[in-house]
Amino acid sequence: MVIRERHTVTYQTRLRLDDESAAALDRYAELFGCVERKLFARLCAGAKASQVKPDFCRRYGLTARQFNSVRVTLEGKMAAARRVLPQRIEELRWRIARAHKVIKRLARRAP
């Protein structure tokens, strides 16, 4: 039997940009973040991405591909948040129980 270990490899690129290029990328990142937050709000309000796509593309000057990139990124973040929710709830329950123990201990010390 052969056991293969899985390794994660991360690549990183550091860009050497002039001020104008850096500013352009900063503006793009700001727009991407703004659109992502607005899309999140609309999805939480019950809208479907396909319904808001034409409006978002027109309002923010996005291509369909750019909108889809924002949508896929947001869907990934939402899925990840849902996936860790049970562990987060359990951790918070444990922390609350621990806080209650500390409060009881401190209350016994109080004069």
Side-chain angles (χ1 to χ4, degrees), residues 30-43:
E30 187 177 328
L31 175 64
F32 190 97
C34 175
V35 171
E36 186 178 52
R37 290 187 299 278
K38 299 283 186 185
L39 181 59
F40 178 71
R42 296 286 295 272
L43 295 178

Side-chain angles (χ1 to χ4, degrees), residues 9-98:
V9 179
T10 303
Y11 294 95
Q12 180 179 358
T13 300
R14 297 198 183 252
L15 302 175
R16 293 188 179 111
L17 302 172
D18 57 57
D19 291 344
E20 186 178 332
S21 297
L25 286 176
D26 287 344
R27 286 190 305 274
Y28 187 81
E30 187 177 328
L31 175 64
F32 190 97
C34 175
V35 171
E36 186 178 52
R37 290 187 299 278
K38 299 283 186 185
L39 181 59
F40 178 71
R42 296 286 295 272
L43 295 178
C44 288
K48 300 267 189 241
S50 59
Q51 295 170 328
V52 300
K53 183 176 182 176
D55 178 51
F56 271 60
C57 288
R58 186 174 44 258
R59 181 178 297 180
Y60 299 105
L62 302 174
T63 64
R65 183 171 290 197
Q66 289 169 321
F67 177 85
N68 290 339
S69 176
V70 172
R71 178 187 54 79
V72 168
T73 299
L74 178 59
E75 288 172 352
K77 289 179 180 182
M78 292 169 70
R82 280 189 212 102
R83 200 167 31 253
V84 299
L85 193 56
Q87 293 99 353
R88 181 74 175 129
I89 290 169
E90 188 58 36
E91 177 192 349
L92 291 172
R93 284 184 178 146
W94 178 84
R95 291 175 73 181
I96 290 168
R98 178 127 167 93

